[in-house]
Amino acid sequence: MGRGGKKGTVTPRELNPSPRLKRGPKMGKRRKMKRKKKKTDMEELKKEVVLDDHKLTLEELSTKYSVDLMMGLSPERAQEILKKNGPNALTPPPTTPEWVKFCRQLFGGFSILLWIGAILCFLAYGIQVHYKEDSTKDNLYLGMVLAIVVMITGCFSYYQEAKSSKIMESFRNMVPQQALVIRAGEKMQINVEDVVVGDLVEVKGGDRIPADLRLISTQGCKVDNSSLTGESEPQTRSPDFTHENPLETRNICFFSTNCVEGTARGIVIATGDSTVMGRIATLTSGLVVGKTPIAAEIEHFIQLITGVAVFLGVSFFVLSLILGYGWLEAVIFLIGIIVANVPEGLLATVTVCLTLTAKRMARKNCLVKNLEAVETLGSTSTICSDKTGTLTQNRMTVAHMWFDKTIYEADTSEEQTGKTFAKGSTTWFILARIAALCNRADFKPNQETLPIAKRATTGDASESALLKFIEQSYSSVKEMREQNPKVAEIPFNSTNKYQMSIHLQEDGSQAHVLMMKGAPERILEFCSTYLLKGKEYPMDDEMKKNFQNAYLELGGLGERVLGFCFLNLPSTFSKGFRFNTDEINFPMENLCFVGLISMIDPPRAAVPDAVGKCRSAGIKVIMVTGDHPITAKAIAKGVGIISEGTETTEDMAARLQVPVSQTNPREAKAIVVHGSDLKDMTSEQLDEILKNHTEIVFARTSPQQKLIIVEGCQRQGAVVAVTGDGVNDSPALKKADIGIAMGISGSDVSKQAADMILLDDNFASIVTGVEEGRLIFDNLKKSIAYTLTSNIPEITPFLLFIILSIPLPLGTITILCIDLGTDMVPAISLAYESAESDIMKRAPRNPKIDNLVNNRLIGMAYGQIGMIQALAGFFTYFVILAENGFKPIDLLGIRLNWEDRFFNDLEDSYGQQWAPLVALRHSLQRSYLCL
């Protein structure tokens, strides 16, 4: 971070070394050094951000960046720095040209086998034409058909993927266009690309942060860091150093995050690729992605088929030479056998099957960008899931209330049907009024027809949750606010930790009421009495103890707790009194404590069942979140990632009443790992956690740590799926075997890095996708087995044609009719097969053992069904010839005379002469084909 020479900094020049190297003897050495440097750069990017600017005093900051904190840089100095460091812009991620994508579809994977077959056909045809004037054109037709099949299938695959995956200039879209800087004491709007390190920048609510800033002054500033850290709550900013971790401290603002309210001034400490966001962008674009499981399976299949084809081809090439054939004929036989082993229709079958499944998944809210990702999801053995918006509803909701010394549960379901609690209590009426009136959130207009829970609001997440809850459980907030107009207010800030508002009483008494909400311990400090069933009582130790117990219980559930109190102001503060919130001229002590309300982003209704299905399917679900460990653990327990009755080391320590350090971590089935602990772990320690614990939650993780966790899972041999929605998730999304981005809440960056997009942001949709992925693997196996069974009945006629010199039972054109006609439709129809009843109860397949095409399948297709089909075909072949006067024993050795167009007196077994033989040949091949 910061300047070029700092540890942990990777400048754009370092990240993109010049590709132009002089040719010479040292070329190889330079390339090796370049690869080594790139690897070092990537390892450096994976490390945590090293930054100490947040620890500096303002004087030290001014000295380090040679800037006047009031006047800013001079325009001349700013130009020098701009010239030296380059523009404040992210290097856009490398994109693959469309023609390269098209060529990959045309020449990649299975297509290459068909191209080789086509080339061999053209080669065989060329040899025949060169040496024989009357050669047939069968090989020419076969070569043309193979080339056409590959081209049509390639175009189809390219169209499907291009339709789902548009190139998005997402990182560029995230960059703010203008910035307000102070140079030589003058405020000026400049292009964000012209911002330099050391600039004095001013931001206000609604602005996007133009670079990494160290704040020097703030006024009620809050920023939305959700795209970077995953935290949905706006974060308060101040000039104070509050945390060792630069991502946690309050005096740093990060490039491309949003300022949601207030104002702030800061010094630019990093620009472009050197910013925290720039490091993530560079890390994402530099990651090397491995093959998908289905690509590896197709490669294995090609090797298998090629091995069989070459073995048979070479064997019969040698045999044909032994039998006395010339080398030319032997070469033609060699090529013919190799081509006969190529299943021409299989490429189209696999592509169509994957496309049908992709369309079926899209109807179930899973949009697949890459066709191969369809099957990858089915192979998944570990899911690393983000919390906010995937496992949860991504909206703060009131979960519990504590008043009249009792904890009441609120309804957190998405339908918000409303649970019953003590709505008749006077305390509840007062608590509801404070929650509605001491609240800056409001509903956006023209939403009256929508359910309250679905309405959009203005204001932060917590206040919006209170607004919706009161509207649903009490009465119209708008009417309450009209009857009790607000006359004064002190907004919430991180120093006071409370929000206060003064309202005119609705009873017409001309009196005012002061209402307050905020951090519970802070609210209690203002109170000398408390409300119990509508009556005030003096605050005593028992009440404080009850308060403390309730606060700890609700906080332990991972919920955000707010306290509420009020004070009826004396009659001296009647209507018309001018309240001064800067120099307080009204009482703010001896308030009456009313109760607590706690909020949480609740789990989605379908998630616990989905996690249960994953568990029964042998899939390990790991939560990886930037949120607080207590909240993460509570949600993990709520959705079943940490199952009921399972203990973490903290739970064990609490039960045994010993320090956590004295417990044996291996005895705990579940574990919650804090990002600060993960930072100090070696790869071996992380591997041990992943191996020894079945239920894992990683909390307060950074983007680099998410990537390290994914790599750790892959080291265990797992096929890893990762879900995410923010920029912070993009390195992990790209590195995973399948990255799953959120369609609604996801950033463009995460969608670009991912292979699949959840259109409804729901974890339950992933489980549906896993089921579809497993089903397509099963069905592809059936389709391939069905297609391969025709290889033996297609090859054996050709082999007997060579060995026994009998008339050819099956020609090239009829083989094409089988492979691209009669076989293809039934093979594709197998993609519509329903799932087996135990499909989600089986363990995930092991890619090393459970292959798409294995020895057993080859043995069944070639050795059993293929042989049966071949025998049936030959039975028909011999019957037809016998009916026409040729006994099987007399067919041996008549091939040359049979094929000679000028030989018109071929005798059958009964001495009859045949001329011409065309009709009989066609009859033979039709009968063999029909079998």
Side-chain angles (χ1 to χ4, degrees), residues 666-730:
R666 289 199 174 194
E667 289 179 13
K669 193 178 171 186
I671 189 169
V672 179
V673 183
H674 196 289
S676 58
D677 299 327
L678 185 60
K679 188 168 75 171
D680 303 324
M681 282 184 193
T682 61
S683 297
E684 291 75 23
Q685 288 171 319
L686 176 60
D687 290 348
E688 194 172 324
I689 286 172
L690 293 168
K691 198 182 292 180
N692 296 328
H693 298 277
T694 54
E695 300 174 1
I696 307 172
V697 173
F698 291 99
R700 277 284 188 258
T701 53
S702 67
Q704 289 88 346
Q705 287 174 339
K706 289 188 178 188
L707 176 61
I708 289 164
I709 291 163
V710 170
E711 290 177 335
C713 292
Q714 288 173 331
R715 280 197 302 274
Q716 306 296 312
V719 175
V720 185
V722 171
T723 70
D725 56 1
V727 177
N728 57 326
D729 300 314
S730 55

Side-chain angles (χ1 to χ4, degrees), residues 4 45 63 72 102 104 116 143 155 171 284 306 338 341-342 361 399 448 471 524 583 601 683 719 768 773 805:
L45 284 169
T63 306
F102 182 65
R104 280 178 186 164
I116 292 168
C155 292
F171 282 109
T284 304
T306 306
I338 289 174
N341 272 280
V342 176
M361 286 172 77
E448 290 75 15
E471 184 84 15
L524 199 67
E583 296 175 12
D601 180 7
S683 297
V719 175
T768 307
S805 198

Side-chain angles (χ1 to χ4, degrees), residues 443 450-457 467-469 471-473:
F443 289 112
L450 288 176
I452 293 166
K454 306 286 183 188
R455 292 181 196 173
T457 58
L467 174 72
K468 290 179 179 180
F469 180 67
E471 184 84 15
Q472 202 158 36
S473 306

